[in-house]
Amino acid sequence: MIRKIGVIGFVILSCISCVKSGDVIPDVAVNFEASLTDPRLSALKTVNGAVIINGYGVAGLILFREADGTYAAYDRCSSYMPQNKCAVTLDNPTLTATDPCSGARFSLTDGTPVKAPATMSLKSYSVNVSNFEIFVSN
């Protein structure tokens, strides 16, 4: 019985140690605010529209308009080897984004990986819209 508990403990510790501290997208302060009438955000007027905003997060932001009219925001830093800070790029159509360094692809509807080698989602941020202003923060 003690041997089984030891084996189970070893397996659990092995799984936990698979995620190294370098495999996590770092936490940085994000406070982006803009008018939805800003020309940089014109692609957000349509469903599944997406834009890139540089200068925020680890590698910039992707703002995405969902089918239900809400918005999602993700850090452009790929979750595959994030220590490299490789910025994902928008695909056409803008339903996915691709890591040009590894070829990993991510869904913009929820940030999940849809093509290997990535196994973790893009880092998402909170989005609030009020009075035609969009606010992205963490």
Side-chain angles (χ1 to χ4, degrees), residues 58-115:
V58 175
L61 299 175
I62 292 178
L63 304 181
F64 178 74
R65 183 160 182 195
E66 307 269 356
D68 65 2
T70 60
Y71 300 89
Y74 305 100
D75 203 297
R76 289 184 64 202
C77 183
S78 176
S79 65
Y80 180 75
M81 297 181 65
Q83 63 273 19
N84 293 342
K85 296 182 182 172
C86 193
V88 298
T89 58
L90 293 174
D91 296 330
N92 189 7
T94 55
L95 295 171
T96 57
T98 298
D99 174 350
C101 302
S102 70
R105 185 169 291 139
F106 302 88
S107 167
L108 292 181
T109 58
D110 59 7
T112 58
V114 294
K115 182 181 175 203

Side-chain angles (χ1 to χ4, degrees), residues 16-92:
I16 292 170
S17 67
C18 289
V19 178
K20 299 175 236 155
S21 62
D23 290 340
V24 177
I25 298 171
D27 287 326
V28 297
V30 173
N31 288 300
F32 172 77
E33 176 182 348
S35 171
L36 286 171
T37 60
D38 184 323
R40 296 177 300 165
L41 306 182
S42 63
L44 297 179
K45 292 178 182 176
T46 61
V47 171
N48 299 329
V51 296
I52 289 175
I53 303 293
N54 291 314
Y56 296 88
V58 175
L61 299 175
I62 292 178
L63 304 181
F64 178 74
R65 183 160 182 195
E66 307 269 356
D68 65 2
T70 60
Y71 300 89
Y74 305 100
D75 203 297
R76 289 184 64 202
C77 183
S78 176
S79 65
Y80 180 75
M81 297 181 65
Q83 63 273 19
N84 293 342
K85 296 182 182 172
C86 193
V88 298
T89 58
L90 293 174
D91 296 330
N92 189 7

